[in-house]
Amino acid sequence: MTVAEVKAGLEFKPGLEGVPVTLSSISYVDGKKGILEYRGIPIEDLAAKSTFLETAYLLIWGQLPTTEELTAFEHEIRYHRRIKYRIRDMMKCFPESGHPMDALQASAAALGLFYSRRALDDPAYIRAAAVRLLAKIPTMVAAFQLMRKGNDPVQPRDDLDYSANFLYMLTEQVPDPLAARVFDICLTLHAEHTLNASTFSARVTASTLTDPYAVVASAVGTLAGPLHGGANEEVLEMIEQIGSVENVRGYIDDCIARKSKIMGFGHRVYKVKDPRAIILQNLAEELFAKFGRDDYYDIAVELEKVVEEKLSHKGIYANVDFYSGLVYRKLGIPSDLFTPIFAISRVAGWLAHWKEQLAENRIYRPTQIYTGNRNAVYIPKEERESPTDFADVN
Ligand code: SDX
């Protein structure tokens, strides 16, 4: 069929927009009503009543753990938080100027060198890999942060829970309880979101039956892009560039005139305000009430108001990345660590999808519409004319 015929037949969906490619029971999103559920439980309930580790267990094994199951799971995670000294030594060779997402992708893949056995049909192997990745990813993110400042990384503290320990490893200070609780809720909010780009990447990689460390490394690389997980870092840069509430309207008008995307807004699925943004905005207000307000929040609120005024007719509203950066900044986290923190959380969702893909696997192999030449003639070098203008060779 010609390109036009195929396109007319609606078989061609760039970016697979709206095309179901798998069955899944992990999370549910209603983009029109602003609903997000993990294994059927509303995100609002999990944010208010659960913890990130309990939520990770729910996502991966499909039900909330009993008290005994959760205690055992938390103990296993504490036990596996440390990383091999060879991984630390490898990270010491990374340039300080490198982006932490590249450091995370490299070190996540390197984990596979130490756990190369692949027993994908063994539930004990699946659990061990899930525990190692959930336990070690935060340690690697924190280690790179201290190393790039020229310091030795600190060992995890077993007397601290998951989020408090991460903030401790990052700052070498035991965090304020409110900061640790708010951070843990942020991890719960970012843990899973149906078939977003990085989760799709994880499922495609998983479908080849490679190891889970390669699956996570593939997803980390996908999450790093500014259109996906990298937006939260860009939101803060945007707020800093705007500089004051008075400048917001002019900035938005300029973006619209240039048809440039405004970071932290819009979503392929949500056509109303992202339910996670609502919760994150409340968390930001809680932190500002305790640790002091600043104009970043006022600029963000004005940004959201003006974008809603000018772009809501297109279904463009604040997404999860809009307020998360403000929360992390108030917790003293450097902006280029926002996306690695997104990865720490989304490992839970990627692992759930890895496990679900293995349960009923079929390797992903979509097709294409070929638009190139056919039956072209090979021209000998001496007969070739002016050098190809590589600008128009796609
Ligand atoms: C995440 O998929 C997930 O679930 C992702 C995520 C998760 O939890 O995994 O929710 C996390 O990735 C959140 C999104 C973070 N990214 C950003 O904030 C970057 C800015 N957002 C845009 O790049 C964009 O909104 C996307 C990529 C998120 C979604 O884009 P779509 O669905 O492909 O929309 P589109 O590019 O087809 O745009 C449709 C229209 C266009 O206008 P027209 O050409 O029709 O006139 O909406 C406009 C776009 O110009 N538009 C925007 C906009 N997003 C879309 N205009 C201004 N600013 C924006 N942010």
Side-chain angles (χ1 to χ4, degrees):
M1 277 193 277
T2 65
V3 171
E5 283 170 340
V6 172
K7 283 187 177 179
L10 299 180
E11 286 181 11
F12 173 54
K13 289 282 186 181
L16 288 175
E17 180 164 2
V19 176
V21 293
T22 187
L23 300 176
S24 180
S25 59
I26 300 169
S27 65
Y28 172 77
V29 169
D30 180 324
K32 293 188 176 65
K33 295 179 184 163
I35 292 171
L36 170 58
E37 297 169 352
Y38 292 170
R39 298 288 187 183
I41 302 176
I43 192 65
E44 294 80 5
D45 289 348
L46 291 167
K49 302 167 187 168
S50 186
T51 64
F52 170 64
L53 276 189
E54 183 181 71
T55 300
Y57 189 102
L58 167 72
L59 289 168
I60 297 167
W61 286 284
Q63 60 193 31
L64 287 169
T66 63
T67 305
E68 295 73 24
E69 286 169 335
L70 182 58
T71 303
F73 184 57
E74 288 170 340
H75 175 73
E76 283 175 70
I77 295 282
R78 274 187 169 81
Y79 182 80
H80 287 282
R81 283 169 173 171
R82 284 159 183 76
I83 55 177
K84 300 283 186 189
Y85 78 84
R86 286 188 176 87
I87 294 229
R88 273 210 317 276
D89 290 354
M90 173 188 79
M91 294 176 79
K92 283 178 181 165
C93 301
F94 293 169
E96 292 84 350
S97 56
H99 196 287
M101 280 298 274
D102 293 326
L104 177 57
Q105 186 175 27
S107 40
L111 281 177
L113 293 164
F114 296 91
Y115 310 106
S116 52
R117 171 177 163 266
R118 286 182 205 172
L120 300 178
D121 54 356
D122 175 359
Y125 169 84
I126 300 281
R127 182 179 175 108
V131 165
R132 283 196 187 106
L133 281 158
L134 283 166
K136 297 180 190 302
I137 296 275
T139 307
M140 296 191 296
V141 170
F144 182 68
Q145 168 61 6
L146 293 192
M147 287 182 199
R148 68 175 178 170
K149 294 196 303 184
N151 302 326
D152 267 327
V154 295
Q155 287 292 6
R157 275 189 44 176
D158 293 348
D159 61 323
L160 298 176
D161 68 23
Y162 191 87
S163 288
N165 173 61
F166 172 70
L167 293 174
Y168 163 72
M169 292 191 294
L170 201 63
T171 63
E172 299 183 85
Q173 289 164 10
V174 176
D176 175 284
L178 172 66
R181 182 177 68 80
V182 165
F183 184 80
D184 199 70
I185 295 171
C186 289
L187 294 184
T188 295
L189 293 172
H190 285 82
E192 158 65 9
H193 207 254
T194 69
L195 219 51
N196 58 84
S198 55
T199 299
F200 181 57
S201 177
R203 287 197 80 128
V204 170
T205 309
S207 75
T208 68
L209 302 186
T210 185
D211 66 84
Y213 309 97
V215 168
V216 168
S218 166
V220 169
T222 308
L223 186 70
L227 293 190
H228 186 16
N232 50 18
E233 182 180 349
E234 309 250 339
V235 167
L236 215 61
E237 284 168 21
M238 171 177 68
I239 290 174
E240 283 159 359
Q241 187 187 339
I242 292 170
S244 73
V245 170
E246 295 67 39
N247 294 342
V248 166
R249 191 167 290 275
Y251 179 89
I252 297 299
D253 288 342
D254 181 51
C255 285
I256 294 171
R258 287 187 291 109
K259 283 185 84 65
S260 65
K261 297 278 175 66
I262 304 158
M263 293 292 115
F265 290 93
H267 199 280
R268 176 62 58 79
V269 179
Y270 288 122
K271 300 310 169 192
V272 292
K273 186 168 178 177
D274 188 322
R276 299 167 294 178
I278 295 170
I279 300 170
L280 283 161
Q281 185 173 3
N282 295 333
L283 292 175
E285 290 180 351
E286 211 176 324
L287 287 176
F288 284 111
K290 170 146 190 182
F291 300 117
R293 280 176 84 86
D294 56 35
D295 57 358
Y296 278 60
Y297 183 66
D298 299 329
I299 294 171
V301 171
E302 179 68 10
L303 258 170
E304 186 177 7
K305 191 180 90 188
V306 173
V307 170
E308 194 159 326
E309 176 194 312
K310 294 179 176 280
L311 292 173
S312 57
H313 67 283
K314 286 185 178 180
I316 294 166
Y317 291 86
N319 61 45
V320 66
D321 287 297
F322 185 61
Y323 285 105
S324 58
L326 288 177
V327 171
Y328 295 146
R329 175 178 169 272
K330 209 63 196 174
L331 297 178
I333 296 169
S335 61
D336 66 355
L337 289 185
F338 293 175
T339 310
I341 287 168
F342 195 152
I344 288 173
S345 165
R346 191 52 60 89
V347 165
W350 294 333
L351 288 166
H353 282 270
W354 167 59
K355 185 167 171 288
E356 188 175 69
Q357 183 67 35
L358 293 178
E360 198 165 341
N361 186 43
R362 182 157 178 72
I363 192 167
Y364 281 90
R365 199 338 181 162
T367 184
Q368 63 174 22
I369 297 170
Y370 180 63
T371 57
N373 299 327
R374 293 294 318 281
N375 307 315
V377 174
Y378 180 82
I379 300 168
K381 278 195 291 295
E382 54 281 359
E383 294 170 24
R384 293 171 199 163
E385 289 158 17
S386 59
T388 306
D389 172 6
F390 285 99
D392 64 1
V393 173
N394 58 10

